[in-house]
Amino acid sequence: MSDSHEKTEDVKVDDALLAPDLVPNLRILYLVLFPTCIGVEMTSGFDSSMMNGLQAVNSWDSFYHSPRSTLLGVMSAMYSAGAIVALPFVPLVTDGLGRRWAIIFGSFLMIIGAVLQTASQNFAMFVIARFILGLGIPFAIVAASSLLGELGHPKERAILGSLFNSCYFIGSIVAAGVTLGTFSMASNWGWRIPSLLQIIPSCLQITFIFFLPESPRWLISKGRGAEALDVLVKYHAEGDADSEFVKAEYIQIEKTLELEKETARVGWMDLLKTAGMRRRVLVGAFLGLATQWSGNGLTSYFLARILDNVGIHDNRTKNLINLATTCWGFFNATILALTVSRFKRRTMYLACTISLLLVFTGWTVASARYAMDEDKPASRAVIAFIFLYSPCYNMAYNALTYTFLVELFPFHVRAKGIAIFQWFSRMAGFFNQFVNPIGIANAGWKYYISYCVFLAFEVLFVFFLFPETSGRSLEELAFLYEGNELKEQKKRVENEIRHHDNDDVSNGKLSDVPDTPVRDSTYVD
């Protein structure tokens, strides 16, 4: 075909897919994705904000005999401990039963944990309940983040992934508002009500999940091509079975999965056998550590103790600041989620890490100044830096991480790759939640220096080792580090398209695709 004809076809395809009046199916899909997938992170946000708020709820503090230091660390860290135990089994469920059933399984576990937490009668029961909550969250997170990238339209994949993490703040706002409303209650319902409300996100997932289709890539990998094609036609072409876009998309997915199967070694240790996979694992593991060891764990779980160290002791004031920071976080995270996907991934990660280093250094200096002479302006400066920290963190670690992970790992190891990220993230989170209260209590502002050092390391790691993934389809990115396989993939897809002569689609296989090569522009974000 001529270049001019190709451009004309592209315009028609893009206009049909993006015109608001012609995409009712896609709009419905995104509405259902919100409670089932995008909203999964609400549980994590609710948990961290609730634990922050409960430390300023008198009835909770009295019931558990004012836990501080090690005991407080154990209560917070058991959520991450549960996730660490569950993660080796997550890919078995996600890849074996499908993305939807993994979300359902994780949601049921979280409901059980939330109910037990609400009914807790002692320290041990509370800790066990939080462990069960942690068991459920990785099943839902790994499956939901994979499903968003595999089910959403290629042009909106990055935005969907960014919104996934911004929903963390919806849960945080609800928990902060609830604890602000219950902190003065004299009865134990002052802390049981926030614990009970933690079941809401999981109930939403179970309620709406059956209105959501399964991942087309997972269906094709299981030999269910007809179902996968139906999903792509319905949501990516609004029911047009003759859509060139969907035909090319289906062929690219199918041929890429075939090539992946030929070269795939999907055991856990096999992730380390090739240079490309080792690079992916290294970057995924680093992201797991960086998303927890950048200082965010301090404000997520121990804001009350930080405020104590700068002279703020009133519980109502603490809960108000907690609510204000979560509302501000939701606002800037949502704005960033809708905008950062327009920029290159590596550039945004560099901007994120450099700004975090500068802000956290200022935070540390202000905390030191207050510790030395109880300077009131220094106390206010710490609060200002806490608010400044939020957009610096959210511009990449919140807005891009799951988008980047879905792009980084090819389909056949995607669940394992995100599980590796989650494992390092939960291990770092466990360390944070256990050690942070001890460090804050014993070292004060000096403890923050360790975060400044790690943030400096993050800047160097991103600069030297992060790949650029923007502007390419998931199928192209499947061979990000494997040049020969990428050439073979493109050759197979183009040959498949050229050798189809009819316009029929039968038995889930495409028997006709126009003589148009698959070009990168069709699949860019």
Side-chain angles (χ1 to χ4, degrees), residues 53-83:
L54 289 182
Q55 294 171 55
V57 174
N58 291 327
S59 59
W60 182 87
D61 201 51
S62 300
F63 189 85
Y64 292 106
H65 310 293
S66 300
R68 297 292 186 272
S69 191
T70 303
L71 289 180
L72 180 59
V74 170
M75 296 176 88
S76 299
M78 290 308 291
Y79 183 76
S80 292

Side-chain angles (χ1 to χ4, degrees), residues 414-431:
R414 187 165 295 142
K416 285 184 172 66
I418 298 176
I420 287 171
F421 160 80
Q422 278 282 312
W423 191 85
F424 277 91
S425 177
R426 298 300 174 177
M427 284 292 290
F430 179 84
F431 179 87

Side-chain angles (χ1 to χ4, degrees), residues 111-132:
I111 289 173
I112 293 170
V115 171
L116 287 175
Q117 184 174 268
T118 303
S120 293
Q121 299 300 311
N122 51 49
F123 176 86
M125 189 172 178
F126 189 86
V127 166
I128 291 170
R130 291 189 55 71
F131 182 83
I132 295 173

Side-chain angles (χ1 to χ4, degrees), residues 12 41 66 73 124 135 138 174 176 181 233 264 309 329 383 440 460 502 509:
K12 289 179 181 178
E41 275 286 12
S66 300
L135 283 176
V174 173
V233 167
N309 284 350
I383 296 174
I440 293 170
L460 296 175
N502 301 317
K509 300 290 184 182

Side-chain angles (χ1 to χ4, degrees), residues 148-164:
L148 281 174
E150 295 165 3
L151 192 58
H153 191 286
K155 289 182 178 294
E156 285 130 16
R157 186 184 69 234
I159 293 176
L160 291 173
S162 299
L163 288 173
F164 179 73

